[in-house]
Amino acid sequence: MQDIEMLHHIHKSTEMGREGILSVLGSAKDTALRTALEQQLTEYEQMMGSSARLLEERGKTPKGVPAAAKLSARMTSAVKTWMDPSPSKIAEMMVQGNTMGMTKSLKHLHDYHGKDEQVRDLANKLLKTEEANIQQMKKFL
């Protein structure tokens, strides 16, 4: 895996994280949970912007998450939060999403052979953010 492919992965992962948070934010009535989700949303948006900027600097257009994948995630979240809108259920969903993201990020980092420190730093930041998000959500389980 080289720089451009890694940047596309980061962009898609942060966009999916953003979508996941947006899909449950309206159901999050607990103030502390809502604050945590809003903070995570800001982090994802910042990393998404960084990945887009790095791609554009390299003459590439960021590839977003397909609309069908976003719709599927929103529908799944809507059903799950409709059935159980508790902070525990929302936190569980966030832990599951971050775990999937962390697994993909770690795999991509192991496959990454690029030399660009900005790209590697952003990939590591994404991994650390996903780990921190899981830890932050544990207190709501």
Side-chain angles (χ1 to χ4, degrees):
M1 175 177 290
Q2 296 300 320
D3 300 333
I4 300 302
E5 190 178 358
M6 178 59 90
L7 286 170
H8 281 301
H9 161 72
I10 294 167
H11 193 78
K12 284 181 179 179
S13 291
T14 54
E15 185 178 1
M16 210 52 212
R18 178 182 178 276
E19 289 296 318
I21 292 169
L22 289 173
S23 72
V24 299
L25 200 54
S27 300
K29 304 304 179 204
D30 180 88
T31 305
L33 175 61
R34 188 169 187 81
T35 299
L37 291 171
E38 288 170 346
Q39 177 222 346
Q40 291 179 12
L41 179 63
T42 299
E43 290 171 353
Y44 278 128
E45 287 174 341
Q46 288 171 346
M47 283 186 284
M48 199 168 116
S50 295
S51 63
R53 180 182 47 78
L54 290 172
L55 280 162
E56 288 164 1
E57 286 173 2
R58 288 154 179 78
K60 301 293 180 185
T61 301
K63 293 180 184 174
V65 174
K70 287 183 192 181
L71 181 60
S72 175
R74 284 186 198 145
M75 296 297 289
T76 300
S77 293
V79 168
K80 287 181 178 180
T81 55
W82 175 74
M83 291 174 62
D84 180 1
S86 68
S88 177
K89 183 61 176 182
I90 292 170
E92 177 187 344
M93 292 166 56
M94 293 294 98
V95 167
Q96 289 171 348
N98 277 283
T99 300
M100 285 190 298
M102 196 173 80
T103 301
K104 285 183 182 178
S105 292
L106 193 54
K107 184 176 185 212
H108 281 60
L109 264 169
H110 288 158
D111 292 340
Y112 178 61
H113 300 294
K115 304 290 185 220
D116 191 317
E117 286 303 313
Q118 284 183 303
V119 175
R120 186 172 297 281
D121 288 348
L122 190 57
N124 281 317
K125 182 178 180 182
L126 174 58
L127 183 61
K128 288 177 183 165
T129 297
E130 290 166 330
E131 291 171 354
N133 290 350
I134 290 168
Q135 292 307 313
Q136 189 177 37
M137 288 293 112
K138 283 182 178 180
K139 66 183 171 188
F140 298 103
L141 291 174

